[in-house]
Amino acid sequence: MHRSYSLRNSRAPTASQLMNPPPPVSSARNSRSFTPFRHSMRIHQAVNFSPDLAKRLAVLVKMEKNVMASMVQVTRGRRDAARQLSYWGEDCDDDISDVTDKLGVLFYEVAELENYLIDRHDQYRVTLKSIRNIEASVQPSREKKQKLLDHIYMLKHKDPESPKLVTMEQELVREEAACLVAEAQLSNTTREKFKQAMTYNLDALHEHAEKLGLITAYGRHLLNLIDDAPVTPGEARPAYDGYETSRQIIMDAEHALSTWIPAHPSVNFAKPQEEDVQSDARSWNDYEAQGEPVPVQQMTQMNDSQSDTSEMAENDPNMHPHVREERIARMDGVENNAVNDTTSLQPKEQQPAVQVA
Amino acid sequence: MHRSYSLRNSRAPTASQLMNPPPPVSSARNSRSFTPFRHSMRIHQAVNFSPDLAKRLAVLVKMEKNVMASMVQVTRGRRDAARQLSYWGEDCDDDISDVTDKLGVLFYEVAELENYLIDRHDQYRVTLKSIRNIEASVQPSREKKQKLLDHIYMLKHKDPESPKLVTMEQELVREEAACLVAEAQLSNTTREKFKQAMTYNLDALHEHAEKLGLITAYGRHLLNLIDDAPVTPGEARPAYDGYETSRQIIMDAEHALSTWIPAHPSVNFAKPQEEDVQSDARSWNDYEAQGEPVPVQQMTQMNDSQSDTSEMAENDPNMHPHVREERIARMDGVENNAVNDTTSLQPKEQQPAVQVA
């Protein structure tokens, strides 16, 4: 397999693609199907009216909206087709009539599933928006700091003895502190929200996939009800008496769909941290919002919560073995880092925060 | 559950729908998303230019084309979004960068799956077309017979002694024979092709569902690689070293997708009949095409092949229990009918075919 495992490089066809010749290309793709005007308008709007830092994510959010708008069309089309299938069958023989009606119910259910998927995809999109918002809000802080730095640099060359220099350097220290907080907020929010958004997305796709699988299985059972033994001209087909059976299959399908639960629970993002926060202390974000320094006690608490995560990584049965190894290795690294921090790195790195206090 | 199990009656919400409040309605549905003009044009064309008998199915075929055209849009949107996700992550920290790139690969794969689904949906649509075609070709035969009947009825009232009446009654007998053959062809082709088309459709959806399920599982593993423990301002995040792991997850996903095979083989439609036909005799359709009478030997053969199906129904492990009961009951009915046929019904019902011979 010569395929590259990244989207940033080009892709080669897989071995299975080379082995199995694909089905004939659908005629839907031959027709000039262009991207709707509103879709490209959305992207242009995001490109032109977003702050630089948030531009890429803003475009992604708009693209996901386009995907959803197209999915709405598919859903609508599937519903129409399901109704039409049942309507066509109405005129045919009894068995075809019954089976098409019941298959119509199942295909309608597929449309309903996709409908539900759209709403859950929107949760993912809205969660991405909150990352976009914090990206956009961190931007001015970065720009202000950069402008101050440029200003001081210029002033130092022009007039090294200027009394303004001292004031500006004090201002720079304040800006650097604000920037540090902003970057930490960005880093934390991005991770938390990204994990949450992707969990929404993957959970929604997973549920969709499982339920779709159930529906197709029941559809196949329905198909078995059709008597496709050829008849000679003038020969009567045996009377169809599968009504009870087909009804039972649909009832079973409904039951299976309504009692479906995920085989393994979704990834528990940020659960341990939340518990810690609730248990005894405000999060550092609350402190920063009120301009208070973060208490040392709570900082050690945070390190504890990290080692909690490491234990969770070791015990979680749903974790991919590679992820588990990687996590444990990383957690060991964290502990080593933490030891280093307390000896040499921590005082130096937290200098601005200390100066604020 | 008060839900009706038919699309031809109205639907009530299921118990699970009432219990679980749905997620907030997606904003994609709020916007004025109208059906594309080309989509409604297709339907109008089918409604206005199809023979009456084939009208409903012609509309269904066009509707499925609309579904496919919308699916092409979704696929395109998903591909764009996957690329953009990877592009956004490129600017972020190492772990986000790596995970978004790899998730992008997975979401791109989802788009590829949908792409494949479209081509297979087209197979279903093209197979439906062959039913539509035979429906359209049976129509003139029915109309001709009806016209002859009306003519004879009129003539009998106006001029009961007309010499034309005898000729026309002979013609009617010929037309009735042709009609019987046409109806049998319609019945056989409809069943065979309908089962085939639905098998394509359900198989394609099934494969899509299973592979989508695989992809989401690997996506969740990737998500675990992100370190979402909150950091305090100025604190450095431990270095990310999950590149090898994430690459391995993608490789596992690719492997799982390329080696996927259906858990149970697809429904074997019309397999026993095909074998019988190949084994010793031409199908009755071949005889009819050449104007020869169907040999009696082959007719009994066909009854045999039906009892073969009954045995298959008893032994097939993949068959829904209700379907099996229903099949066996129906097969018993067929045998009883067959006994009746040989005694009294058969000679009367096959009268026109005998006259042709």
Side-chain angles (χ1 to χ4, degrees):
Chain A
M1 281 168 91
H2 288 287
R3 182 166 188 171
S4 63
Y5 299 103
S6 158
L7 267 193
R8 290 162 202 156
N9 306 312
S10 64
R11 300 158 66 88
T14 60
S16 71
Q17 277 171 341
L18 293 173
M19 290 263 292
N20 302 323
V25 172
S26 125
S27 56
R29 216 166 305 117
N30 295 345
S31 72
R32 298 154 295 140
S33 75
F34 45 84
T35 313
F37 178 66
R38 267 179 314 154
H39 288 201
S40 40
M41 270 307 289
R42 277 201 198 108
I43 307 290
H44 275 288
Q45 191 197 359
V47 169
N48 294 329
F49 300 103
S50 304
D52 281 344
L53 188 60
K55 194 163 277 183
R56 293 181 177 187
L57 197 55
V59 171
L60 178 60
V61 168
K62 293 291 177 191
M63 279 175 170
E64 294 292 0
K65 180 129 188 173
N66 288 346
V67 170
M68 279 161 45
S70 308
M71 280 162 84
V72 169
Q73 294 290 354
V74 174
T75 309
R76 195 174 296 166
R78 276 198 194 280
R79 277 206 198 111
D80 288 348
R83 270 194 227 98
Q84 188 69 22
L85 178 67
S86 161
Y87 180 59
W88 166 64
E90 214 175 356
D91 255 5
C92 296
D93 297 339
D94 285 349
D95 55 346
I96 298 268
S97 170
D98 186 41
V99 170
T100 50
D101 192 29
K102 298 295 189 287
L103 276 175
V105 172
L106 287 188
F107 288 138
Y108 200 96
E109 201 58 48
V110 172
E112 293 295 298
L113 280 185
E114 283 184 351
N115 210 10
Y116 184 60
L117 180 66
I118 294 172
D119 289 342
R120 294 189 66 182
H121 198 83
D122 201 39
Q123 286 187 308
Y124 153 70
R125 201 180 66 90
V126 169
T127 315
L128 281 188
K129 272 186 175 177
S130 58
I131 308 180
R132 181 200 64 185
N133 292 346
I134 194 152
E135 281 185 346
S137 77
V138 165
Q139 172 101 5
S141 171
R142 280 195 193 173
E143 278 170 0
K144 205 170 167 190
K145 183 181 147 195
Q146 193 55 44
K147 214 181 266 177
L148 255 176
L149 272 175
D150 293 349
H151 214 147
I152 292 175
Y153 183 79
M154 260 180 45
L155 212 62
K156 268 189 179 161
H157 275 256
K158 245 174 55 182
D159 178 13
E161 303 303 315
S162 163
K164 271 172 92 180
L165 214 55
V166 180
T167 337
M168 282 177 77
E169 266 170 353
Q170 280 170 346
E171 201 179 330
L172 179 65
V173 172
R174 285 202 297 278
E175 268 313 312
E176 266 174 349
C179 238
L180 264 182
V181 173
E183 296 291 342
Q185 282 172 339
L186 176 65
S187 170
N188 289 345
T189 310
T190 304
R191 275 143 221 273
E192 185 198 330
K193 291 293 177 184
F194 178 71
K195 231 172 168 176
Q196 200 176 339
M198 278 301 160
T199 306
Y200 281 141
N201 192 358
L202 292 172
D203 280 0
L205 279 177
H206 179 73
E207 184 172 341
H208 182 72
E210 296 262 316
K211 287 188 170 176
L212 191 60
L214 283 177
I215 287 182
T216 56
Y218 285 103
R220 285 170 174 182
H221 288 312
L222 272 180
L223 218 52
N224 276 335
L225 283 175
I226 290 184
D227 165 27
D228 62 344
V231 292
T232 48
E235 181 189 341
R237 246 175 224 287
Y240 174 71
D241 57 355
Y243 292 105
E244 201 45 53
T245 315
S246 68
R247 194 161 165 277
Q248 190 60 45
I249 292 174
I250 292 288
M251 277 169 72
D252 288 357
E254 298 269 343
H255 181 73
L257 286 178
S258 61
T259 56
W260 180 89
I261 46 164
H264 49 224
S266 60
V267 182
N268 289 326
F269 50 89
K271 195 78 170 279
Q273 284 83 12
E274 271 176 14
E275 277 173 7
D276 279 345
V277 168
Q278 283 177 349
S279 61
D280 72 349
R282 291 178 287 172
S283 81
W284 68 265
N285 250 328
D286 297 349
Y287 288 101
E288 293 305 325
Q290 294 161 30
E292 299 172 48
V294 180
V296 178
Q297 185 200 353
Q298 200 188 342
M299 282 191 182
T300 55
Q301 173 92 41
M302 273 167 187
N303 285 339
D304 286 350
S305 86
Q306 278 183 342
S307 55
D308 275 4
T309 332
S310 138
E311 274 169 29
M312 193 185 69
E314 281 167 47
N315 299 332
D316 188 355
N318 298 324
M319 196 168 274
H320 192 283
H322 295 294
V323 175
R324 192 177 303 158
E325 282 168 25
E326 199 278 333
R327 273 238 159 161
I328 292 166
R330 193 187 334 137
M331 290 309 154
D332 291 347
V334 168
E335 278 159 26
N336 293 342
N337 278 352
V339 172
N340 289 344
D341 276 355
T342 47
T343 54
S344 65
L345 284 171
Q346 212 175 18
K348 204 183 81 194
E349 284 203 348
Q350 289 201 337
Q351 213 172 6
V354 170
Q355 285 195 351
V356 171
Chain B
M1 281 167 93
H2 287 286
R3 182 166 187 169
S4 64
Y5 299 103
S6 159
L7 268 193
R8 289 163 202 156
N9 305 313
S10 64
R11 298 160 65 90
T14 60
S16 71
Q17 277 171 341
L18 292 174
M19 290 263 294
N20 302 321
V25 172
S26 128
S27 56
R29 215 164 308 119
N30 295 344
S31 72
R32 296 157 295 140
S33 74
F34 46 85
T35 312
F37 177 65
R38 266 178 316 153
H39 288 200
S40 38
M41 271 306 290
R42 276 201 199 107
I43 307 290
H44 275 288
Q45 193 196 358
V47 169
N48 294 328
F49 300 105
S50 305
D52 281 344
L53 188 59
K55 194 162 277 183
R56 294 180 177 188
L57 196 54
V59 171
L60 178 59
V61 168
K62 293 292 177 190
M63 279 177 170
E64 295 292 358
K65 180 129 187 172
N66 288 347
V67 171
M68 279 162 45
S70 308
M71 280 162 85
V72 169
Q73 294 290 355
V74 174
T75 309
R76 194 175 295 165
R78 275 199 193 279
R79 276 205 198 111
D80 289 348
R83 270 195 226 100
Q84 187 69 22
L85 178 68
S86 161
Y87 180 60
W88 165 65
E90 213 174 357
D91 255 5
C92 296
D93 297 340
D94 284 350
D95 54 346
I96 298 269
S97 170
D98 186 42
V99 170
T100 51
D101 192 29
K102 299 294 189 288
L103 276 175
V105 171
L106 288 189
F107 287 137
Y108 201 94
E109 201 58 50
V110 172
E112 293 296 298
L113 280 187
E114 283 184 351
N115 211 10
Y116 183 60
L117 181 65
I118 293 170
D119 289 342
R120 294 189 65 184
H121 198 83
D122 202 38
Q123 286 186 307
Y124 153 69
R125 201 180 65 91
V126 168
T127 315
L128 281 187
K129 272 185 177 178
S130 57
I131 306 180
R132 181 200 63 184
N133 292 346
I134 193 150
E135 281 185 345
S137 77
V138 165
Q139 173 101 7
S141 172
R142 280 194 192 172
E143 278 169 1
K144 206 169 166 190
K145 183 182 148 196
Q146 193 56 44
K147 213 181 268 177
L148 255 176
L149 272 174
D150 293 349
H151 213 147
I152 292 176
Y153 183 80
M154 258 177 52
L155 213 61
K156 268 189 178 162
H157 275 255
K158 244 170 60 181
D159 178 16
E161 302 304 313
S162 164
K164 272 171 90 181
L165 214 56
V166 181
T167 337
M168 281 175 76
E169 267 171 353
Q170 279 170 346
E171 202 180 327
L172 179 66
V173 172
R174 285 202 298 278
E175 269 312 314
E176 265 173 351
C179 238
L180 263 182
V181 174
E183 298 291 343
Q185 281 172 337
L186 176 65
S187 170
N188 289 344
T189 312
T190 304
R191 274 142 220 276
E192 184 199 331
K193 292 292 177 183
F194 178 71
K195 231 173 169 174
Q196 199 177 338
M198 278 299 159
T199 306
Y200 282 141
N201 192 358
L202 292 172
D203 280 0
L205 279 176
H206 179 72
E207 184 172 342
H208 183 72
E210 297 261 317
K211 288 189 170 176
L212 191 60
L214 283 176
I215 287 183
T216 56
Y218 285 103
R220 284 170 175 184
H221 288 312
L222 272 180
L223 219 52
N224 277 335
L225 283 175
I226 290 185
D227 166 26
D228 62 344
V231 292
T232 48
E235 181 189 340
R237 247 175 224 288
Y240 175 70
D241 58 355
Y243 292 105
E244 202 45 54
T245 315
S246 67
R247 195 162 164 278
Q248 191 59 47
I249 291 174
I250 292 288
M251 278 169 73
D252 289 356
E254 298 268 343
H255 180 74
L257 285 178
S258 61
T259 56
W260 180 89
I261 47 162
H264 48 225
S266 60
V267 182
N268 290 325
F269 51 88
K271 195 79 170 280
Q273 284 83 11
E274 271 175 16
E275 278 173 7
D276 280 344
V277 169
Q278 283 178 350
S279 61
D280 72 348
R282 291 177 287 170
S283 80
W284 69 265
N285 249 330
D286 297 349
Y287 287 101
E288 292 305 324
Q290 294 162 30
E292 299 172 48
V294 180
V296 179
Q297 185 200 352
Q298 199 187 341
M299 282 192 185
T300 54
Q301 174 93 40
M302 274 168 187
N303 286 338
D304 286 350
S305 84
Q306 278 183 341
S307 55
D308 276 4
T309 332
S310 137
E311 273 169 30
M312 193 185 71
E314 282 167 46
N315 299 331
D316 189 354
N318 297 324
M319 196 169 273
H320 193 282
H322 295 293
V323 175
R324 192 177 305 156
E325 281 168 26
E326 199 277 334
R327 273 239 159 160
I328 293 166
R330 192 184 339 134
M331 290 309 155
D332 292 347
V334 167
E335 277 157 28
N336 292 342
N337 277 351
V339 173
N340 287 344
D341 277 354
T342 47
T343 53
S344 65
L345 285 171
Q346 212 175 19
K348 205 182 80 194
E349 285 202 348
Q350 289 199 338
Q351 210 174 6
V354 171
Q355 286 196 350
V356 172

